[in-house]
Amino acid sequence: MEQHQNQVGHPCLLEALTIAALSVAALVGCTGTLSGTDSGNRSAGPNQGVGPGGVADPGGGVAAGGRDATGSLLPAVGPAGLRRLTTREYDNTVRDLLGDDSGPSRQLVAESHGAEGYVAFQPMGATELEQYRSAAEAIAARAVGQVADLVPCASGTAEPICTRAFIDSFGKRAFRRPLAAAEATELEALYTGVRMRAGLSHSDGIRVLLTAMLQDPRFLYQRQLGSGAADANGLVPLDAYDMASRLSYALWRTMPDAALLEAADSGRLGTEAEVRAQATRMLADPRAREATTAWASSWLGLERLDTLSRPADAYPEWTPALGAAMRRESEAFVASVVLDGDAALHTLLTAPVAFPDAALSQLYGVAKPTLAGGLSQVNLNPTQRAGILTQASFLTAFPTPVLRGKFVRERLLCQTMPPPPPNAQGMGHVLADPASERERVSAHSTDPACAGCHTLMDPIGFGFLSFDAIGKWRESDAGRPIDDSGALAGTDADGSFVGPVELAARLASSADVRQCLTRRWFRSLLERAETDSDNGSLELLGAALEKGERPMRDMLLALVAAPAFRYRHPLSGEATP
Amino acid sequence: MSKGRVTRRDLIARLGLGAAAIPLLYAGARAQSAPAFPRRLVLFTVPSCGPRDLFWPTGTETDFTLSAMTSPLEDLKKKLTFVGGVGSLSAYDQPNFAVHEAHCHLLTGAQTVSLQGANGRYNGVGGPSLDWTLANLPAMSGLPFPQLVVGYNYEGNGYTRAAPKAAGQAAPEITRRDNPATLFDQLFAGRPTVGTAVDPSIARIREERASVLDYLTSSLNSYKVNLGTEDRQKIDFHLDGLRDLERNLNGNATTLGCTPGTRPMTADFSNIDNVPALVQRQLDVVTAALSCDLTRVVTLQWAHDGGNRWNYPWLGPEFKQAVPKASDPAGTGIISQHYLQHQAWTSPDLTAMRAKLEGWWLSQYAYLAHKLNSVQEGSGTMLDNTALVFIGAQGFPGNHELYPHPIIITGSCGGFFRTGRFVKFGSRTDYNEPEVTKVATRDGLVAHNRLLVSLANAMGHPISTFGMTGSAYQGPLTELHA
């Protein structure tokens, strides 16, 4: 019977995962050259049905690449469809709305960030709706514990009068825009109806009202309305309240605060300068950490650290708490670079620092930190570690040379790697035991059926061979000294390198990487794929990242000021106002 | 639709009747559709069950010997039909097909469609599934839960779910939760039994929820007015879901004509060692739901075809091992069903593990068969009035081959199937030979669409095609019928 012992790093087999990674449909192999860039849904066909859907680019009048015949960028914006609050946004919003910081989304089905870095729309079926109902009922029951604080009512004023005032004021915050009179009346009717029909008290009536509002589409979904008619380019400026929501969910991952709603009330979110001013204020707020955390999570796949396991015999130091510490560390690192530090991509990719807790400091072989006042920065051995890709979180979430190489291709260079052929498991070569990881992975290059794709991934992944599957430095593997030399090809930073520090330096110097990361930020902040129509906006981001004083922070400000953020393209089938 | 619902509730309110009166509205439908004993379809789906030489019986159509894996069914042998030579041929005969869509194709037999998922596009369900189709027949409309979908570890993308209702849409489930006590509550809690009054606090919760559902329906309908086509469809799907909740709410007000048994104990089901207890308690609750005629169509999906999270440490120390270095040099994984599906054929030890693991699911199937057989119905048992179908999504998973499926139908579905047989369709003769890595031919197999047609016919749905159309997929497998 044929043995096949080199099925290394096969995503199908090794990531604890991934329904989703398996799902890429194409069965094409690689030819040793790249099959093009990862294009979000640029090439998406017509979206079928309601399913987990993106939005097709209507492309109305937009030339290929978003440029006109003379090569000038056309003002254009890709379509943004309805989206549901993520579980993180749900928790934050409930916290800011009702002071309830119990994290009620624990009982909801969590969405997952795809490899592309945004949350695709997942439909709400009965199962999901039942979970949202149960969460809403629990939140509302807690909230009416202090009903007099929630719905103030001066003595002598009738409860229904106070309730109507509550519906208007609370409704504006819950739905993130003022309620139309008819909307308020419907909520009032619900309150009155249950009080009469089910014989409920005022407090119980408010509870039912809250339960309904927390399941209302205006609470659960984000939609983008325009204000007024489309301009000559077919674009409509975003409605002021939707602009407030877009800002707050992009930069804070929660509902707009009073200042944002006030700005919307008084029409002070219309100009680029007004939007920038709000964003600058918001980036100085601690809540801005939510934006960098969401971005880092989706880019680095940090979610998977929550459910990962490692065999105890091979990795006795592995615990779920260690995984959580890895995640926290990288979130803290990204926030410190982008919001507090020089915000340079170079720093993100090369700084030999970490934010470990006690267990993680042991893994890095550095002194135990004092944890008073939270995680603090420690310096790592600069000959071994350089930036985010040498932190334990990434090295654990992507534990093999193949997965690490694939990560660089897909998430740093925005290139598309096809999935392995279905019979990849059945291909194989006999290697004498013990063989090192490098020897096993190298077997790919001797088989033409494997080599086409693996020559694109493996030589990059080799650069990380000094790290084991939980990111610990090692000097040998299977009794052989580590050979972590590799090569980068098909990029603007091509060349050979030895070890992770040299690889990181190459990646940090690459314009391709910078360009890819603008797209990753775009997707994370807008929770959608970019389309060709967004090229103009992306170029503004790119310019900020290239020339900004604090490049990634400047890029965030450039994004909120960009057309893709401030305008919308009417969607197919939409009623015109 | 929402208009009708509001009117009904308003009417009840105006007449001064409480929620307790709602059951009366359903009594007619149930009485009308109640033959002596209803026929039921229970679909028990697993990713695969093998290797094949350890699954299939040896012998002829009527004189066969069960394999060790299927031996827990020995005492029910006269009620079994092994169905060989049936494959998901329709999965191959289409442009979109890729091998990972086994489970979502299993009960649809339809053309797959390219859908946008969180990680890019994937091939998803392109048509309704058999269970959903049957649940939506008029005859089922009076049942509190026309379709029940239960299972363990089957969460996932559209392409890993066995019970979709249409393109990209998940089934209307009443539960995706693993806790059997929760399932029990959803089916039975607050349901009045004959001769008892409705608990007033439960009636109040029901009234509150009904009012909120009405409000939300109205709110969603106004919300969608200004949306584009695709966004409107998202809201329509949301509205569908609300209707399912409404139906469950009303279903829960239906008076029970039976006693559901005891509520299962709760346990820490995040502890993987409790999974065997969890699965059996789920099967107990499903048996109760069927015997109380709350539902007649049940899909039980156990695990799915992707991912390495599904480990089975309770089966023995070998299931706590790391994936061998040969396949996982970094030593990151623990042996999973997925790993065994791919690798089992490469060594006798792994083959034995796969047989043990997949045989364990078969023993759970046998447990359910015996439970159904323990419920007396007239001169027979509930099992006799049921088609309890065991089906693996893949034939030889080492090559992602969706053929031939391991299939057992237990019970005759009220005399529709002729049981006690090992029926081999087509020309394949390798049932008892070890699996090999060479891609096997699909020649000489029959399309599983035809099995789906037979099952629909058994449930009184007189169709001749299901899913993909064309002569190769058409017509029931009459050889199975009595």
Side-chain angles (χ1 to χ4, degrees), chain A residues 302-468:
Chain A
L302 298 181
E303 286 158 354
R304 64 181 72 181
L305 291 171
D306 299 345
T307 54
L308 236 147
S309 62
R310 288 282 182 265
D313 48 351
Y315 299 97
E317 58 276 78
W318 175 262
T319 61
L322 187 66
M326 291 175 178
R327 182 177 180 157
R328 275 198 306 277
E329 160 176 272
S330 289
E331 289 171 357
F333 173 64
V334 173
S336 85
V337 172
V338 177
L339 299 172
D340 309 330
D342 64 10
L345 192 55
H346 191 268
T347 307
L348 186 78
L349 291 175
T350 62
V353 299
F355 291 75
D357 70 354
L360 207 44
S361 65
Q362 210 163 0
L363 185 139
Y364 287 128
V366 295
K368 217 162 146 180
T370 53
L371 291 173
L375 299 173
S376 55
Q377 181 172 317
V378 303
N379 294 321
L380 302 178
N381 181 342
T383 64
Q384 297 176 352
R385 310 269 174 177
I388 190 85
L389 297 186
T390 59
Q391 288 184 356
S393 62
F394 162 73
L395 295 165
T396 304
F398 296 84
T400 71
V402 178
L403 294 174
R404 290 165 182 172
K406 186 166 182 273
F407 178 96
V408 169
R409 284 281 173 214
E410 292 187 333
R411 303 197 190 195
L412 260 94
L413 294 162
C414 290
Q415 294 166 342
T416 304
M417 296 302 299
N423 58 344
Q425 298 299 326
M427 305 173 178
H429 297 269
V430 182
L431 287 181
D433 265 330
S436 70
E437 226 177 327
R438 178 147 192 147
E439 287 165 330
R440 294 186 195 283
V441 174
S442 297
H444 287 137
S445 63
T446 63
D447 184 338
C450 305
C453 290
H454 279 278
T455 49
L456 297 173
M457 302 180 284
D458 301 354
I460 302 176
F462 286 153
F464 299 104
L465 272 173
S466 292
F467 301 110
D468 70 8

Side-chain angles (χ1 to χ4, degrees), chain A residues 1 4-5 7-8 12-13 19 23 52 54 82 114-115 128 130 137 186 197 207 216 218 221 315 425 572, chain B residues 116 118-119 122 159 176 186 207-209 215 218-219 229 231 238 308 326-327 329-330 338 343 345-346:
Chain A
M1 196 177 284
H4 55 150
Q5 305 193 319
Q7 280 77 54
V8 262
C12 190
L13 181 63
I19 303 162
S23 70
L82 197 65
E128 288 79 10
E130 205 215 322
E137 286 175 349
E186 243 188 285
R197 280 213 297 265
R207 177 175 51 74
D216 194 285
R218 289 163 290 181
Y221 295 117
Y315 299 97
Q425 298 299 326
S572 147
Chain B
Q116 180 70 36
N119 268 16
Y122 68 98
Y159 85 107
R176 195 193 286 169
Q186 285 176 301
E207 177 65 37
E208 285 180 19
R209 287 183 172 174
Y215 164 78
S218 160
S219 181
T229 311
D231 287 345
H238 189 144
N308 294 312
S327 284
H338 186 207
Q343 300 289 353
W345 61 275
T346 63

Side-chain angles (χ1 to χ4, degrees), chain A residues 146-179:
Chain A
Q146 290 86 35
V147 72
D149 296 341
L150 190 66
V151 188
C153 208
S155 75
T157 314
E159 283 163 355
I161 306 279
C162 304
T163 300
R164 175 62 193 241
F166 168 73
I167 287 171
D168 286 330
S169 61
F170 182 82
K172 180 177 173 186
R173 295 173 61 234
F175 299 162
R176 310 181 280 273
R177 63 171 54 249
L179 270 59

Side-chain angles (χ1 to χ4, degrees), chain A residues 175 186-187 190 212 216 218, chain B residues 211-219:
Chain A
F175 299 162
E186 243 188 285
L187 283 162
L190 171 67
D216 194 285
R218 289 163 290 181
Chain B
S211 301
V212 170
L213 282 172
D214 281 345
Y215 164 78
L216 293 174
T217 302
S218 160
S219 181

